Amino acid sequence: MRIFVTGATGFLGSYVAEDLVAQGHDVAVLLRPGTRPWRLTAILDRLTVIEGTLDDPSTLGNGLRSFAPDAVVHMAWRGVGNSERNSKDQARNIADTVEMADLAADAGATIFVGAGSQAEYGPYNRAIAESNVPRPTTFYGIAKLASGLMAERHCAERKLRFAWLRIFSVYGPKDNEAWLIPSLIRTLRANGHMALTGCEQRWGFLHARDAAAAVRLVLTSPVAQGIYNLGSPDAPQLRDTVRRLHELIGAGELGLGEVPYRPDQVMVLAADMTRLEALGWRPVVGLDQGLRETLAWHAAAERGTS
């Protein structure tokens, strides 16, 4: 297949691009002028690069029509950091998503896959299924929900097969430094002290390779359409994951219980994966293996050899 990926310079997007290339697909990526695509270095010479931005749909559309994709995977998003999740600028992502569906159809694509979020659901005290009522509590979650709903309607009008992946916690090498696992690794490897909540939350972590394989499965399966959760089917207590990482590093201190829970603290972040599993997906990277890989990558990055 010929597949165009937005957001491929981001963490999960880079894994998606790498997975698709490894499976023999012809992949094009959107690259903003001046961006350093360090996560894509290993496969950059095997990609078609379309320079442009979501703010310039006419130029982007020209590049997309030239590539003539069979499918579009839309993973680009403005404002993913915690400090930006209640910004009114989140609304711009809704227009971006619908515009990208239009550009996909205009370029001849027949499949549109978008990256949603568990934030669309809001807090639940159990594993969340796709049939559960969305109750987002942030502008980020609201914008993701609205984007998926509008893109689904628009794709039906434009005759594109549509799938929307509500992504839970994903980790692995090349992750954003601000997230929990990279922050823990950086602090503990420096023999520092990491202040944490009690970490009694049930929290599932899925390796990015397994997440990318799921995106590919949804892309290539002709029966895959609608909303799918994308997360780990296992959700142990967060303190188990944190303590295991501490054991593997063998340095630093964990300050469990030193940070109070937020008033809106999510205590269960677990995905019911029945729907995706029905397509034949299963994760293959165990948490212990994934943590070891991630640690090894950080060590190599410090040595300048990653």
Side-chain angles (χ1 to χ4, degrees):
M1 293 175 65
R2 295 174 65 80
I3 303 167
F4 175 63
V5 182
T6 72
T9 58
F11 169 52
L12 182 53
S14 69
Y15 276 84
V16 170
E18 189 170 333
D19 177 89
L20 292 172
V21 167
Q23 295 298 318
H25 297 287
D26 191 355
V27 178
V29 299
L30 175 62
L31 193 61
R32 292 192 306 273
T35 299
R36 185 175 70 88
W38 63 272
R39 290 186 175 96
L40 298 173
T41 300
I43 60 167
L44 198 56
D45 60 349
R46 301 170 65 186
L47 299 171
T48 298
V49 173
I50 297 176
E51 286 203 351
T53 70
L54 298 175
D55 293 317
D56 186 6
S58 60
T59 300
L60 175 54
N62 290 336
L64 203 53
R65 284 189 293 273
S66 177
F67 178 68
D70 301 303
V72 168
V73 182
H74 180 49
M75 306 196 74
W77 194 264
R78 309 169 194 261
V80 297
N82 286 330
S83 63
E84 303 166 288
R85 294 205 167 193
N86 274 310
S87 167
K88 64 180 184 299
D89 289 340
Q90 289 289 340
R92 298 173 65 191
N93 292 295
I94 304 170
D96 288 344
T97 303
V98 177
E99 182 69 44
M100 186 52 62
D102 247 348
L103 293 174
D106 290 344
T110 58
I111 305 163
F112 183 90
V113 175
S117 170
Q118 54 79 22
E120 297 175 52
Y121 290 115
Y124 274 83
N125 61 1
R126 52 179 166 74
I128 306 170
E130 293 88 346
S131 58
N132 291 140
V133 177
R135 301 177 299 197
T137 59
T138 63
F139 284 2
Y140 173 79
I142 293 167
K144 284 285 190 181
L145 178 61
S147 295
L149 291 171
M150 292 186 70
E152 182 175 30
R153 173 67 179 271
H154 202 54
C155 285
E157 293 171 349
R158 298 298 310 267
K159 311 301 182 188
L160 290 105
R161 176 165 66 84
F162 169 85
W164 189 255
L165 301 174
R166 287 178 175 163
I167 300 167
F168 285 64
S169 294
V170 178
Y171 77 102
K174 304 185 290 186
D175 199 353
N176 296 316
E177 287 295 313
W179 300 137
L180 177 62
I181 287 179
S183 295
L184 268 168
I185 291 172
R186 185 175 61 252
T187 301
L188 296 179
R189 278 179 56 81
N191 204 31
H193 180 92
M194 187 77 176
L196 297 160
T197 68
C199 293
E200 298 156 301
Q201 307 95 309
R202 284 181 51 210
W203 209 281
F205 286 100
L206 180 70
H207 196 284
R209 280 207 309 278
D210 285 326
V215 174
R216 169 170 43 86
L217 177 62
V218 169
L219 268 172
T220 56
S221 174
V223 299
Q225 58 184 345
I227 297 167
Y228 290 89
N229 286 341
L230 180 49
S232 171
D234 300 315
Q237 274 200 325
L238 183 57
R239 63 171 56 190
D240 295 341
T241 301
V242 167
R243 283 173 171 162
R244 181 54 182 151
L245 196 53
H246 186 213
E247 289 173 4
L248 290 171
I249 293 171
E253 295 180 346
L254 297 177
L256 289 166
E258 294 180 359
V259 177
Y261 291 118
R262 298 192 311 269
D264 61 345
Q265 180 71 54
V266 174
M267 296 304 294
V268 179
L269 192 62
D272 182 326
M273 294 304 299
T274 304
R275 191 155 192 265
L276 193 59
E277 288 171 347
L279 295 178
W281 176 84
R282 297 290 188 282
V284 298
V285 184
L287 182 59
D288 199 72
Q289 176 191 344
L291 292 176
R292 290 176 182 273
E293 285 184 11
T294 306
L295 277 172
W297 181 85
H298 277 267
E302 284 186 13
R303 295 192 302 268
T305 59
S306 65

